[in-house]
Amino acid sequence: MITARKRGTGLAAAAGALGGVLALTALGGTSHAATGGNEAGSHPAAQTPAGQAPADQAPADQTPAGQAPAGQTPAGQTPAGQTPAGQAPAGQTPAGQAPAQESSAAQVKIIPGQAAYNIGINDPVEVTVSDGKLTKVTMTAVATGTEVPGTLSADGTSWKPNGPLERATRYQIAAEAEDAQARPVTQNATITTASPANAFIGHLSPEDGSTVGVGMPVRIDFDKAIGDKAAVESEIHVSSSSGQNVVGHWLNDHRLDFRPESYWKPGSTVTVKLDRHGTQKTVTFKIGRSQISTVDAATKQMTVVRDGKTIKTIPISAGSPEHPTYNGRMVISEKFRQVHMNAATVGITEKDGKPSYDIKAVPHAMRLTDSGTFIHGNYWGADSVFGKVNTSHGCVGLKDVKGGGDRNQPAAWFFDNSLTGDVVTVKNSQDTTTLAPDNGLSDWNMPWSQWTAGNATH
């Protein structure tokens, strides 16, 4: 299965050198580019907090309606990267049907919508529900964790913040509701308010003080297109205590990544310094142990290597021949303890209009690409699937139990033993698509000579 991210909205006109100030927002984990497929040149989209599914977009392992991730056929045939038509998620039962679960009648809407950019601080921000009542709404500033006070209407059908928002701030909104039968539903969105006049906002990941895997690049997403890339890049300096040579590369007009030629050295500290007209900002993060996991789609096994030693081999189910998993090096960018996956959100329904599958809580899901490739737990597949048959629409499925409560299950073990920034390499898949470096944190698929050629200051 796969979940694609929608493109951001409200982009400002392209501009030249960094104007005014460079305000950096450190995101928990990492920020993400909005990618409708395996393509370059997309605008940053919102990050979703762990344990919540992205709002207003296809649930994990599904592609947005009418659009399939690159390297897979479009919806109606079989999108790849989210869970397209006619088949159930990775490792599902031979009948090809996902477990039947009743959907909540309640429908939650968040205004102005997922990944909205340049929102005015006094523009309408509201959460509403039809055919149900809101049970909980939180709105949080991503960088600081500060919760925005808000008011729930007396009838429980709407929520609004109590006052104006802060400028140049990214907010995450998480809403929970239930229908008359107490069936729950959740919705999430991340929005970004407008920056001051002539200012550029750069969203930096990973988070200051975090510990990440050896594959985590430094990533900066700008809310406006950058014209004079050399001027902007010259104000950003990235170094490692390991002494590795770190080089920046512009993946598109909005995104600048930094990485060394090979993975970061385990145990090292990476420092990002930004210097603008004498004003400095420093962000540091640590590199944890090295963990490289290799998924072999032919043998249907995943080998987990930590600090050079194999610590576990896990049977998996990768993408089917119709929807093969991307080959290449991917990096875990988000971790979700549970996500809701519903085929109807991507336009995949049966003749009676019901979704082809509706899985309320897919456990232990970790994002590998922005176009929707996940490695996740699978509790609906028979034991005979794992290590034997590739059945998904592009994701990698590991055996799990419903609710994800059994810590001895392979999916739970892998989730508990993985960091954002860990590398997952897929090989021997039938997919022939070249994985785009800006599809998630797939920077390592670009040769070093090509990477350094994308540096604007050289």
Side-chain angles (χ1 to χ4, degrees), residues 226-431:
I226 304 299
D228 191 345
K229 294 180 175 62
V232 173
E233 188 177 333
S234 66
E235 298 167 344
I236 304 170
H237 307 277
V238 183
S239 61
S240 171
S241 62
S242 66
Q244 291 173 276
N245 180 31
V246 184
V247 177
H249 179 97
W250 288 88
L251 290 164
N252 52 58
D253 290 342
H254 293 273
R255 177 176 167 184
L256 171 62
D257 284 14
F258 290 83
R259 70 167 177 88
E261 182 173 3
S262 55
Y263 300 136
W264 303 104
K265 299 296 183 183
S268 61
T269 298
V270 179
T271 301
V272 184
K273 291 186 176 180
L274 303 112
D275 190 348
R276 176 66 179 171
H277 297 318
T279 300
Q280 295 184 341
K281 182 178 180 68
T282 300
V283 171
T284 62
F285 60 92
K286 294 185 179 298
I287 306 300
R289 78 289 177 275
S290 170
Q291 183 163 299
I292 313 295
S293 301
T294 301
V295 173
D296 189 329
T299 64
K300 304 164 189 67
Q301 302 287 326
M302 177 173 69
T303 303
V304 183
V305 176
R306 182 176 294 175
D307 295 326
K309 296 181 179 180
T310 299
I311 61 171
K312 203 170 188 68
T313 299
I314 303 174
I316 60 91
S317 180
S320 67
E322 295 78 16
H323 312 289
T325 306
Y326 289 129
N327 284 302
R329 293 187 283 178
M330 291 166 266
V331 173
I332 295 172
S333 59
E334 289 181 295
K335 297 177 67 178
F336 305 89
R337 288 204 174 274
Q338 292 186 340
V339 289
H340 182 188
M341 303 181 184
N342 185 309
T345 64
V346 293
I348 303 170
T349 58
E350 302 299 322
K351 291 182 180 180
D352 59 4
K354 294 182 179 180
S356 297
Y357 58 83
D358 185 6
I359 308 175
K360 292 290 189 291
V362 175
H364 300 123
M366 292 180 281
R367 182 180 289 277
L368 299 179
T369 70
D370 283 347
S371 65
T373 310
F374 276 74
I375 183 166
H376 62 77
N378 179 330
Y379 63 81
W380 53 89
D383 290 352
S384 58
V385 168
F386 305 98
K388 301 296 183 182
V389 186
N390 289 328
T391 59
S392 84
H393 286 79
C395 287
V396 178
L398 285 65
K399 182 173 174 54
D400 211 336
V401 295
K402 187 174 183 179
D406 184 352
R407 312 316 302 167
N408 295 318
Q409 292 295 318
W413 181 92
F414 189 64
F415 186 92
D416 292 342
N417 284 275
S418 294
L419 296 172
T420 56
D422 281 350
V423 179
V424 177
T425 298
V426 177
K427 66 178 184 179
N428 296 327
S429 169
Q430 296 183 33
D431 183 66

Side-chain angles (χ1 to χ4, degrees), residues 23 26 76-77 80 102 111 156 308 363 371 377 384 403 429 444:
Q77 297 176 9
E102 290 189 24
I111 300 170
S371 65
S384 58
S429 169
W444 303 100

Side-chain angles (χ1 to χ4, degrees), residues 58-214:
D61 287 22
Q62 303 180 38
T63 48
Q67 178 180 1
Q72 305 182 31
T73 53
Q77 297 176 9
T78 39
Q82 242 89 300
T83 0
Q87 292 191 7
Q92 85 179 25
T93 55
Q97 300 286 334
Q101 301 181 22
E102 290 189 24
S103 298
S104 176
Q107 296 186 18
V108 178
K109 183 177 182 180
I110 299 177
I111 300 170
Q114 165 63 10
Y117 271 78
N118 293 328
I119 304 304
I121 60 173
N122 292 301
D123 284 356
V125 174
E126 184 177 16
V127 179
T128 62
V129 63
S130 59
D131 298 321
K133 290 187 177 182
L134 293 167
T135 56
K136 183 179 180 180
V137 178
T138 57
M139 183 174 183
T140 307
V142 173
T144 63
T146 302
E147 187 170 331
V148 176
T151 299
L152 183 67
S153 64
D155 62 1
T157 61
S158 67
W159 179 96
K160 295 180 180 179
N162 290 343
L165 305 177
E166 298 293 330
R167 292 188 181 276
T169 302
R170 179 171 285 188
Y171 292 97
Q172 290 175 337
I173 303 171
E176 300 175 16
E178 59 182 29
D179 63 11
Q181 284 72 48
R183 293 175 297 191
V185 64
T186 62
Q187 189 64 284
N188 303 272
T190 304
I191 65 173
T192 305
T193 54
S195 57
N198 300 318
F200 283 79
I201 304 302
H203 300 282
L204 171 67
S205 66
E207 183 181 5
D208 185 32
S210 61
T211 298
V212 298
V214 297

